[in-house]
C-alpha cells in the first residue's frame, strides 16, 4: 500500500494495482475526470514527489508534460508514496455508479444527423445523478458514453442528443434499428461535468454539436434557483458548421442575465451572426477571464484549443471544466 497526499493535506492509500483516481474514489475523495480511458486529459495532475507507472499506453500528454511529471490519474498507479499538486473536490454529493434497466420511450429526429433519445426507468429504479453528468448506454455488447440532456430529477426520464457517426457501431443501432420499448442498460452516473459554486462573476458555457446536452441540463438546474445567479452573467456560446445544425438554444428565467451566441464555422452568405470558433467568440465578448468559470463540452479539438487559449488569456487554470466527447469505443 502506498500513501497519496494532496495539496490540502488529504491523504488516502492506494495499492500498486489501482489507479490514483479509483483509489481516491474508493476513499471518498473526488478528483476531476471524465472519459476514464486516458483520452480526454480532464484528470491531468502533477506529481510533486514519488513515481507512477501507466496502466495502458498514454498518448495525450506532451513530452514536456511527461518530463515535468504530469500524469493522468485515471491511468497511473503508484510505485511509491506520492504527493500530488491537486486538491480533492468537497461539498458535492456524488452517486455510486450502477447498472439500471431502461426502455426507449421516444426517438425524435432533430437534424439530419442528430436524434433526441428518451429513456424511461421502471418505477423501482432509483437512478440519481448531478445535472451535467454522463452515462454509458449498453445495447448487447456495445457500450458508449452519452451526456444526459435534462436536469437531475429523481427517477425521471432521461434524454440524450445523439449524433450519427459515420460507420459507427452504436450509431447504426440508434439511427437504423432502435425502436420504442427496446431494452437499454444505463451505467452511471459518470464524470465531473456539473456546476461548481464559485465567487466568479461570469459563467461561460462553450459547446459544439451534441455537446449542448450537459449544458442544457446545467442551465435547467440554474433555472431552479435563479436567486443564486442574480449577480452573475451567463454566456452560452454554441458552435456548429452550418445553420441547419443548430438545434437547441437556452431558455432562461428573466432575472438571470444571459447572452446566447450561436457561432457557425461554415456559414452561408445569409448568416448575420458570429462566425468562426466558440473560443474566439468568447474572447470577442471582452470579459475579465480572471473572474470567469468556463464549462466546455463537445469535440476534443475545441476543448484543447479553448483550454490553451483561455488560460493564456488569464482564465484561472482550475476554472476550466470540460467533457470531451472522445471516441468511447
Ligand atoms: C464523456 C463522453 C460523453 C459523450 N456524450 C455524447 C453525447 O451526448 N452525444 C453523442 O452523440 N456522443 C457522445 N459521446 C460520443 C459517443 O460515446 C460515441 O463515441 C459516439 O456516439 C460514436 O459511437 P459509435 O459506436 O457510433 O462509433 P464507433 O463505432 O465507436 O466509431 C466509428 C467511427 O467514428 C469515429 N468516432 C467515434 N466516436 C467519435 C467521436 N466522439 N468523435 C470523433 N470521431 C468519433 C471512430 O474513430 C470511428 O472511425 C460522448 C463520449 C464521451 C467520452
Ligand atoms: S484522461 Fe483521465 S479521465 Fe479522461
Amino acid at each position: 500500500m502506498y500513501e497519496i497526499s494532496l495539496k490540502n493535506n488529504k491523504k488516502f492509500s492506494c495499492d500498486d494495482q489501482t489507479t490514483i483516481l479509483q483509489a481516491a474514489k474508493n476513499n471518498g475523495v473526488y478528483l476531476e475526470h471524465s472519459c476514464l480511458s486516458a483520452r480526454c486529459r480532464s484528470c491531468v495532475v502533477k506529481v510533486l514527489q514519488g513515481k507512477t507507472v501507466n496502466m495502458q499506453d498514454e498518448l495525450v500528454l506532451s513530452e514536456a508534460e511527461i518530463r515535468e511529471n504530469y500524469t493522468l490519474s485515471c491511468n497511473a498507479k503508484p510505485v511509491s508514496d506520492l504527493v500530488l499538486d491537486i486538491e480533492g473536490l468537497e461539498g458535492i454529493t456524488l452517486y455510486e455508479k450502477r447498472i439500471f434497466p431502461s426502455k426507449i420511450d421516444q426517438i425524435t429526429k432533430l437534424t439530419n444527423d442528430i436524434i433526441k433519445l428518451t429513456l424511461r426507468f421502471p418505477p423501482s429504479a432509483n437512478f440519481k445523478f448531478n445535472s451535467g453528468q454522463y452515462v454509458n448506454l449498453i445495447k448487447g455488447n456495445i457500450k458508449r458514453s452519452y451526456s444526459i440532456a435534462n436536469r437531475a430529477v429523481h427517477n425521471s426520464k432521461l434524454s440524450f442528443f445523439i449524433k450519427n457517426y459515420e460507420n459507427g457501431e452504436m450509431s447504426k443501432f440508434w439511427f437504423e434499428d432502435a425502436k420504442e420499448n427496446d431494452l437499454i442498460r444505463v451505467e452511471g452516473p459518470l464524470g465531473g461535468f456539473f456546476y461548481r459554486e464559485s465567487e466568479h462573476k461570469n459563467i461561460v458555457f462553450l459547446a459544439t454539436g451534441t455537446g449542448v446536452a450537459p449544458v442544457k441540463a446545467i442551465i435547467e438546474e440554474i433555472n431552479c434557483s435563479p436567486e443564486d445567479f442574480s449577480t452573475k452573467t451567463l454566456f452560452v456560446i454554441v458552435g456548429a458548421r452550418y445553420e441547419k445544425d443548430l438545434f437547441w438554444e437556452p431558455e432562461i428565467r428573466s432575472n438571470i442575465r444571459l447572452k446566447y451566441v450561436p457561432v457557425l464555422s461554415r456559414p452561408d452568405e445569409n448568416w448575420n451572426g458570429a462566425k468562426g470558433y466558440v473560443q474566439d467568440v468568447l474572447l470577442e465578448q471582452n470579459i475579465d477571464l480572471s473572474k470567469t468559470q468556463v464549462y466546455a463540452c463537445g469535440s476534443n479539438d475545441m476543448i484543447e484549443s479553448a483550454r490553451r487559449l483561455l488560460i493564456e488569456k488569464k482564465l484561472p487554470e482550475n476554472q476550466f471544466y470540460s467533457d470531451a466527447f472522445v471516441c468511447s469505443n
Side-chain angles (χ1 to χ4, degrees), residues 25 30 33-34 36 93-100 121 126-136 146 148 152 158 186-194:
K25 193 163 180 239
Y30 177 86
H33 68 276
S34 175
L36 298 174
T93 308
L94 288 161
Y95 301 100
E96 223 13 75
K97 177 182 82 172
R98 283 167 41 207
I99 295 187
F100 299 81
F121 291 114
N126 190 17
F127 180 73
K128 292 182 180 167
F129 66 106
N130 290 309
S131 302
Q133 286 192 290
Y134 76 91
V135 291
N136 290 327
Y146 296 97
I148 303 167
L158 299 186
V186 175
E187 180 184 45
L190 294 160
F193 197 77
F194 39 74

Side-chain angles (χ1 to χ4, degrees), residues 33-43 72 74:
H33 68 276
S34 175
C35 74
L36 298 174
S37 55
R39 298 177 209 209
C40 76
R41 291 182 62 99
S42 299
C43 66
L72 300 174
C74 74

Side-chain angles (χ1 to χ4, degrees), residues 9-125:
N9 288 328
K10 247 198 180 113
K11 294 183 197 308
F12 56 91
S13 43
C14 181
D15 64 44
D16 61 3
Q17 293 307 313
T18 306
T19 63
I20 297 169
L21 187 70
Q22 188 56 50
K25 193 163 180 239
N26 296 346
N27 287 279
V29 177
Y30 177 86
L31 300 181
E32 295 294 346
H33 68 276
S34 175
C35 74
L36 298 174
S37 55
R39 298 177 209 209
C40 76
R41 291 182 62 99
S42 299
C43 66
V44 72
V45 57
K46 188 172 167 98
V47 180
L48 298 173
Q49 278 173 39
K51 285 228 161 313
T52 60
V53 290
N54 288 334
M55 291 286 216
Q56 53 173 303
D57 285 349
E58 184 282 301
L59 302 168
V60 300
L61 294 177
S62 67
E63 280 178 20
E65 286 173 317
I66 293 168
R67 267 198 311 276
E68 287 168 30
N69 283 336
Y70 283 91
T71 191
L72 300 174
S73 70
C74 74
N75 192 37
K77 51 185 188 175
V79 287
S80 72
D81 289 347
L82 299 176
V83 179
L84 304 179
D85 189 16
I86 193 174
E87 290 182 7
L89 182 74
E90 291 178 66
I92 287 195
T93 308
L94 288 161
Y95 301 100
E96 223 13 75
K97 177 182 82 172
R98 283 167 41 207
I99 295 187
F100 299 81
S102 79
K103 282 190 172 170
I104 296 183
D105 197 63
Q106 208 175 22
I107 296 177
T108 319
K109 189 171 172 181
L110 298 178
T111 72
N112 256 352
D113 62 357
I114 295 175
I115 53 163
K116 178 178 174 186
L117 166 77
T118 311
L119 299 179
R120 65 171 185 277
F121 291 114
S124 59

Side-chain angles (χ1 to χ4, degrees), residues 134-294:
Y134 76 91
V135 291
N136 290 327
L137 298 185
I138 306 169
K139 183 66 197 166
N141 55 6
I142 318 175
K143 171 156 101 173
R144 297 288 185 270
S145 309
Y146 296 97
S147 294
I148 303 167
N150 55 271
R151 82 177 181 92
V153 180
H154 180 55
N155 241 11
S156 75
K157 292 176 186 173
L158 299 186
S159 58
F160 302 90
F161 297 144
I162 297 184
K163 179 179 162 180
N164 193 359
Y165 284 85
E166 213 179 312
N167 302 322
E169 255 189 287
M170 195 69 152
S171 297
K172 179 178 177 309
F173 170 70
W174 297 126
F175 284 79
E176 293 177 22
D177 306 329
K179 54 186 187 319
E180 280 176 23
N181 294 320
D182 278 355
L183 186 68
I184 305 288
R185 280 179 299 148
V186 175
E187 180 184 45
L190 294 160
F193 197 77
F194 39 74
Y195 176 69
R196 324 297 173 91
E197 270 179 41
S198 85
E199 295 303 307
H200 294 283
K201 193 173 152 303
N202 305 306
I203 307 174
V204 173
F205 297 94
L206 302 178
T208 52
T210 48
V212 297
V215 173
K216 173 175 174 288
I218 295 174
I219 287 184
E220 286 176 5
E221 193 68 58
I222 288 176
N223 270 331
C224 293
S225 51
E227 59 289 350
D228 296 347
F229 295 85
S230 58
T231 57
K232 298 188 188 280
T233 306
L234 271 52
F235 294 82
V236 178
I237 306 180
V238 173
R241 282 189 183 171
Y242 308 105
E243 193 172 359
K244 66 178 171 53
D245 299 329
L246 294 168
F247 63 94
W248 171 81
E249 57 183 84
E251 286 169 32
I252 205 84
R253 295 270 168 86
S254 56
N255 54 347
I256 300 179
R257 279 192 300 277
L258 169 96
K259 184 161 185 198
Y260 165 60
V261 191
V263 187
L264 299 184
S265 59
R266 297 191 197 166
D268 66 21
E269 66 276 14
N270 300 321
W271 176 252
N272 295 320
K275 297 172 190 164
Y277 296 102
V278 288
Q279 61 273 25
D280 299 321
V281 171
L282 169 56
L283 293 186
E284 287 164 17
Q285 309 305 308
N286 285 322
I287 59 175
D288 181 352
L289 285 178
S290 68
K291 299 189 173 123
T292 300
Q293 256 188 336
V294 174

